[in-house]
């Protein structure tokens, strides 16, 4: 299934209680990040005091849904030493937190005892799972959604297991 940014934003806005996101890749090749990634490689860092320069509209949506009481959490399972892309992601994650999202990092070596789905996913209100399928180079291929209770249960259990072992962003250094 193809998905536009606006339809994904509508999906996030539809969450009533929770939205959790599990990321398990060390590299993502997202075309709309190319310019920012290149700037980061040249030494550019986001200014914590210049919120207007941060990624929009995503952070506006994060703030909107967390302001209405939705618990928005993201966990990232990462290899160590971290890939260049993960170091880039880590450098701007403070913006997600400032907008109201909670973020934790789990070194991959600590995830071996956790049953994990094969793809990154979002889980909305413990019921709707959206898998994000990427190719071997980290390019987004498509999304798949399911309301299958067994799949949602697996994803919920996997996320909570990762979350318990993971390190809060402010304490995780790369």
């Amino acid at each position: 299934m193809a998905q536009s940014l606006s339809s994904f934003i509508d999906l996030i806005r539809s969450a009533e209680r929770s939205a959790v996101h599990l990321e398990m890749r060390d590299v993502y090749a997202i075309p709309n990040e190319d310019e920012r990634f290149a700037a980061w490689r040249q030494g550019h860092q986001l200014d914590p005091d210049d919120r207007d320069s941060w990624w929009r509209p995503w952070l506006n949506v994060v703030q909107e849904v967390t302001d209405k009481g939705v618990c928005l959490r993201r966990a990232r399972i990462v290899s160590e030493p971290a890939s260049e892309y993960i170091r880039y992601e880590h450098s701007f994650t403070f913006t997600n937190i400032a907008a109201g999202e909670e973020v934790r990092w789990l070194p991959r070596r600590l995830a071996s005892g956790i049953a994990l789905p094969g793809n990154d996913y979002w889980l909305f209100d413990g019921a709707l799972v959206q898998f994000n399928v990427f190719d071997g180079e980290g390019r987004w291929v498509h999304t798949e959604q399911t309301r299958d209770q067994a799949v949602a249960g697996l994803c919920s259990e996997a996320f909570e297991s990762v979350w318990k072992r993971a390190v809060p962003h402010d304490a995780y250094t790369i």
Side-chain angles (χ1 to χ4, degrees), residues 56-110:
R56 305 288 186 220
W58 172 249
L59 296 172
N60 294 338
V61 173
V62 169
Q63 188 163 10
E64 175 188 327
V65 299
T66 57
D67 283 352
K68 75 174 189 177
V70 174
C71 180
L72 185 58
R73 298 182 293 161
R74 179 186 309 254
R76 293 177 171 140
I77 299 174
V78 295
S79 297
E80 292 179 325
S83 69
E84 182 181 41
Y85 183 86
I86 293 300
R87 292 192 314 272
Y88 159 70
E89 250 187 352
H90 189 271
S91 76
F92 67 79
T93 296
F94 73 90
T95 66
N96 298 68
I97 293 164
E101 187 175 359
E102 297 176 61
V103 180
R104 292 188 183 181
W105 303 81
L106 181 65
R108 191 170 309 282
R109 63 185 163 72
L110 300 177

Side-chain angles (χ1 to χ4, degrees), residues 6-21:
S6 64
S7 66
F8 182 69
I9 288 173
D10 289 344
L11 186 57
I12 292 280
R13 285 181 171 142
S14 73
E16 296 176 3
R17 296 176 315 283
S18 66
V20 301
H21 184 40

Side-chain angles (χ1 to χ4, degrees):
M1 169 171 87
Q3 184 176 51
S4 68
L5 179 58
S6 64
S7 66
F8 182 69
I9 288 173
D10 289 344
L11 186 57
I12 292 280
R13 285 181 171 142
S14 73
E16 296 176 3
R17 296 176 315 283
S18 66
V20 301
H21 184 40
L22 183 61
E23 297 178 1
M24 299 180 283
R25 300 186 55 85
D26 287 322
V27 176
Y28 294 89
I30 311 297
N32 68 359
E33 290 184 348
D34 289 347
E35 188 175 312
R36 289 187 304 263
F37 190 32
W40 176 83
R41 282 178 162 159
Q42 296 299 316
H44 178 264
Q45 296 289 317
L46 291 179
D47 179 353
D49 296 323
D50 183 10
R51 286 181 173 239
D52 291 336
S53 70
W54 300 353
W55 184 25
R56 305 288 186 220
W58 172 249
L59 296 172
N60 294 338
V61 173
V62 169
Q63 188 163 10
E64 175 188 327
V65 299
T66 57
D67 283 352
K68 75 174 189 177
V70 174
C71 180
L72 185 58
R73 298 182 293 161
R74 179 186 309 254
R76 293 177 171 140
I77 299 174
V78 295
S79 297
E80 292 179 325
S83 69
E84 182 181 41
Y85 183 86
I86 293 300
R87 292 192 314 272
Y88 159 70
E89 250 187 352
H90 189 271
S91 76
F92 67 79
T93 296
F94 73 90
T95 66
N96 298 68
I97 293 164
E101 187 175 359
E102 297 176 61
V103 180
R104 292 188 183 181
W105 303 81
L106 181 65
R108 191 170 309 282
R109 63 185 163 72
L110 300 177
S112 296
I114 302 172
L116 298 167
N119 294 291
D120 291 8
Y121 62 88
W122 282 89
L123 175 61
F124 300 97
D125 295 325
L128 173 65
V129 180
Q130 175 169 300
F131 290 105
N132 296 314
V133 180
F134 294 87
D135 70 13
E137 301 299 321
R139 293 177 296 245
W140 178 83
V141 176
H142 65 275
T143 60
E144 299 171 2
Q145 292 183 351
T146 182
R147 289 188 177 275
D148 182 292
Q149 290 179 336
V151 174
L154 169 70
C155 290
S156 178
E157 185 176 321
F159 185 86
E160 294 306 328
S161 294
V162 168
W163 192 256
K164 286 176 189 170
R165 294 180 188 192
V167 178
H169 174 72
D170 292 340
Y172 186 72
T173 57
I174 291 192

